[in-house]
Amino acid sequence: MKALPVSTHETIIAGVDAHKDTHHVTILTRTGEKIADRQFNATTSGYNKLLDWVVGFGAVDKIGLESTGSYAAGLSRFLVDHEVDVRKTLAGEATAVPKVSTEIIESIRELTVVRASAVKARTVALVQLQDVAITAPASLRERLDARSGKGLARQCAKLRADGDRLDDPEQAAKLCLHGLAHRVRDLDTEIATLDGHLDKLVTIVAPTLLSRVGISTRHAAQFVITAGENIDRLTSEAAFARLCGTVPIPVSSGKSHRMRLHRGGDRQANRALHMVTVCRLRYDERTIAYMERRQSEGLSKKDAMRGLKRFIAREVFNDLKVDLGIA
């Protein structure tokens, strides 16, 4: 690890405007006075030159970054490795600590991103498969009697088109259906392979969380991605709940007194919480009893579910602290 040189100059702050190929850096005094600015390549060599240039102006208080989850992700990892206080810039002020993305949770995030795109592509392929089957010539359509998307894909995978007669709509339809069916099959294989890898990684990272009712590998993966390696950057379980969009906000009007959930935050984490809540309402006696009690008190099902999501967010946060060695 590269140590920062001792400087006799004043304490300085740096801000980085990150782009795909270059990063523009501005040096400021603690009082906000601009000292200098310069552009560097978004490469390992460029990161080294950037850091050497910044520390030449004084002792670094902190470096504020934009796009820590995209264009500045590499620079953020580099600076954290070199023990620089990195802050994610929000509304002009560097206040939020970015997620660490150098360990196993980053691997989980990458696999999850690829899996999500594969699932989306498979859905598109199945929809197209059904559309082509519906509009195919009657002589072909009547042979395709499968009722499920998977069943239709299996039938279409067996079709063989005459390549010399593609001017015939039936032969063209066979070729399209055959290709789409094999695309679905290949994507099924890809998704299953990714699921196997994710199962192993998530089990290593979050065994306590996975032991909870209704939390599958997919849900746990999303929760650890949302929290990040350095979950201690979240000051409380309320901060995690807000990040997941489960903070109650009063929306009372006149004689009506009710709450709604914060609509910001990580929508994928919010969706995972919702799915866990739905699962527990079917299979978890404690959750079922809570719903029945709250509805008997006059609370709507929707409002009771908001309370459940808030409770589950608290439970998830505390389990993640245990699994990540923070508790």
Side-chain angles (χ1 to χ4, degrees):
M1 182 174 293
K2 181 178 179 180
L4 298 180
V6 178
S7 174
T8 58
H9 297 240
E10 63 179 314
T11 302
I12 55 102
I13 298 172
V16 180
D17 183 14
H19 301 279
K20 181 180 178 181
D21 299 317
T22 60
H23 297 333
H24 192 92
V25 188
T26 300
I27 306 294
L28 304 174
T29 65
R30 290 295 300 277
T31 58
E33 181 182 354
K34 181 177 177 180
I35 299 175
D37 65 274
R38 186 175 172 184
Q39 184 170 282
F40 297 88
N41 290 330
T43 62
T44 302
S45 174
Y47 299 156
N48 276 294
K49 292 177 181 177
L50 183 154
L51 183 55
D52 289 340
W53 182 75
V54 169
V55 300
F57 287 92
V60 180
D61 179 33
K62 61 177 66 73
I63 295 182
L65 301 181
E66 290 183 342
S67 308
T68 57
S70 55
Y71 291 145
L75 178 59
S76 177
R77 287 191 289 265
F78 176 86
L79 293 175
V80 169
D81 285 344
H82 288 75
E83 299 182 337
V84 177
D85 184 3
V86 178
R87 298 289 166 146
K88 180 179 179 181
T89 56
L90 296 173
E93 296 182 3
T95 57
V97 177
K99 288 188 288 187
V100 170
S101 58
T102 58
E103 300 178 21
I104 189 172
I105 293 179
E106 176 64 8
S107 299
I108 292 173
R109 186 194 68 81
E110 291 170 342
L111 294 179
T112 299
V113 168
V114 175
R115 182 187 187 277
S117 68
V119 170
K120 185 175 181 179
R122 179 183 181 277
T123 300
V124 171
L126 282 171
V127 170
Q128 291 178 331
L129 187 73
Q130 292 169 335
D131 288 345
V132 175
I134 289 171
T135 59
S139 56
L140 174 60
R141 186 179 66 249
E142 292 168 2
R143 292 161 50 192
L144 304 174
D145 56 359
R147 297 190 177 276
S148 68
K150 279 190 173 182
L152 180 61
R154 283 194 294 269
Q155 284 187 336
C156 292
K158 299 175 183 178
L159 296 175
R160 295 294 181 270
D162 185 344
D164 296 328
R165 296 172 52 214
L166 292 181
D167 56 335
D168 179 352
E170 180 173 338
Q171 299 305 317
K174 284 183 178 180
L175 182 67
C176 292
L177 291 169
H178 178 84
L180 287 168
H182 280 268
R183 186 181 301 173
V184 170
R185 184 192 63 185
D186 292 343
L187 287 168
D188 280 338
T189 301
E190 180 181 346
I191 292 167
T193 300
L194 290 168
D195 282 343
H197 294 316
L198 282 168
D199 287 343
K200 293 177 182 178
L201 295 180
V202 175
T203 300
I204 293 171
V205 171
T208 306
L209 187 59
L210 283 172
S211 69
R212 299 294 184 179
V213 176
I215 297 184
S216 68
T217 302
R218 304 289 82 73
H219 301 142
Q222 183 56 58
F223 292 139
V224 298
I225 291 168
T226 300
E229 303 273 359
N230 52 335
I231 192 175
D232 54 326
R233 82 189 197 285
L234 301 174
T235 56
S236 66
E237 54 88 14
F240 179 75
R242 183 177 180 83
L243 185 59
C244 295
T246 56
V247 173
I249 299 173
V251 287
S252 301
S253 176
K255 295 182 180 181
S256 174
H257 300 282
R258 63 188 185 87
M259 309 288 283
R260 71 166 178 82
L261 293 182
H262 174 58
R263 292 193 176 95
D266 187 330
R267 304 316 299 166
Q268 293 302 315
N270 187 278
R271 181 179 183 277
L273 283 173
H274 180 78
M275 297 308 296
V276 172
T277 303
V278 170
C279 180
R280 289 188 178 185
L281 283 172
R282 289 186 178 183
Y283 304 108
D284 182 49
E285 294 183 2
R286 181 181 56 166
T287 304
I288 295 171
Y290 172 87
M291 176 61 75
E292 292 174 348
R293 176 172 61 84
R294 296 298 281 163
Q295 287 188 293
S296 68
E297 295 171 350
L299 206 64
S300 69
K301 182 177 181 179
K302 184 179 290 186
D303 285 337
M305 285 190 69
R306 292 189 183 107
L308 284 171
K309 289 174 73 173
R310 180 66 178 83
F311 170 80
I312 294 171
R314 180 184 301 116
E315 182 181 78
V316 167
F317 178 75
N318 289 328
D319 285 347
L320 285 174
K321 288 176 64 179
V322 172
D323 287 334
L324 298 175
I326 305 300

